[in-house]
Amino acid sequence: ELLIYQAFRVFFGVRKLSNILLEDAIMNQKLVEICLRVRDIDATLDFYTDLFDFEVASHRKFPENKFDLIYLNSPGSSVQIELTYNYDAEPYNVGNGFSHLGVTVSDLEKMHEVCKASAYETGELKGLSGGTPTYFFVTDPDGYRIEVKRAK
């Protein structure tokens, strides 16, 4: 198998076999989902469905494997959020590599008021380099930060 791979590289003059084999697949890629592991599924669903109008696309339960998968659709987007709920899981550490999800809204100031009035940790309105406010952050029940941005 290695000899076939090396012969292919020499014959076609490519450094990586994947450049040839994946060319069509790469051209058709699109982001379809983002997975978040959650501890309190009810609180998390309330956050995404009540505050941001996400809709539950499907809820698949796997009690024999002790987990549920809930897929959320965002109005106007084809990207889904997959919530993975592992029964009896220890608290998750969001980590320092993941930063945030982003959502756009038509009325940033109104959404900021709604978030501040909720029980969720909500940051102040901010603008890049001290300019006009264009975003703020709100934190979901599991500690994931959502950047709420003014739609362009």
Side-chain angles (χ1 to χ4, degrees), residues 22-152:
L22 297 179
E23 186 175 315
D24 288 337
I26 289 170
M27 297 304 292
N28 295 313
Q29 289 182 16
K30 68 178 185 175
L31 180 64
V32 294
E33 72 184 29
I34 297 166
C35 178
L36 302 175
R37 292 185 176 102
V38 302
R39 290 269 301 139
D40 183 336
I41 193 60
D42 294 326
T44 301
L45 282 172
D46 286 347
F47 178 85
Y48 287 99
T49 60
D50 292 346
L51 203 57
F52 287 104
D53 291 333
F54 279 74
E55 298 172 352
V56 175
S58 67
H59 187 156
R60 300 176 60 198
K61 297 182 180 193
F62 301 90
E64 66 282 358
N65 296 319
K66 299 185 178 183
F67 73 92
D68 290 0
L69 298 176
I70 301 95
Y71 293 90
L72 303 177
N73 288 337
S74 171
S77 175
S78 61
V79 178
Q80 291 185 314
I81 295 179
E82 173 190 321
L83 303 175
T84 299
Y85 171 60
N86 293 300
Y87 308 171
D88 304 322
E90 295 295 317
Y92 296 107
N93 178 354
V94 174
N96 63 5
F98 176 81
S99 177
H100 64 275
L101 300 176
V103 174
T104 59
V105 296
S106 57
D107 190 335
L108 182 69
E109 288 74 14
K110 181 167 180 128
M111 187 62 181
H112 187 251
E113 289 175 18
V114 169
C115 289
K116 284 192 72 105
S118 73
Y120 306 110
E121 180 184 331
T122 304
E124 295 303 317
L125 287 165
K126 294 183 178 187
L128 296 176
S129 300
T132 303
T134 55
Y135 69 96
F136 69 91
F137 285 92
V138 61
T139 305
D140 85 358
D142 292 286
Y144 296 107
R145 295 177 349 131
I146 312 302
E147 180 181 15
V148 183
K149 300 169 72 170
R150 185 184 314 278
K152 296 181 180 180

Side-chain angles (χ1 to χ4, degrees), residues 1-9:
E1 191 173 303
L2 182 59
L3 289 175
I4 293 170
Y5 173 75
Q6 289 172 338
F8 190 90
R9 283 181 38 204

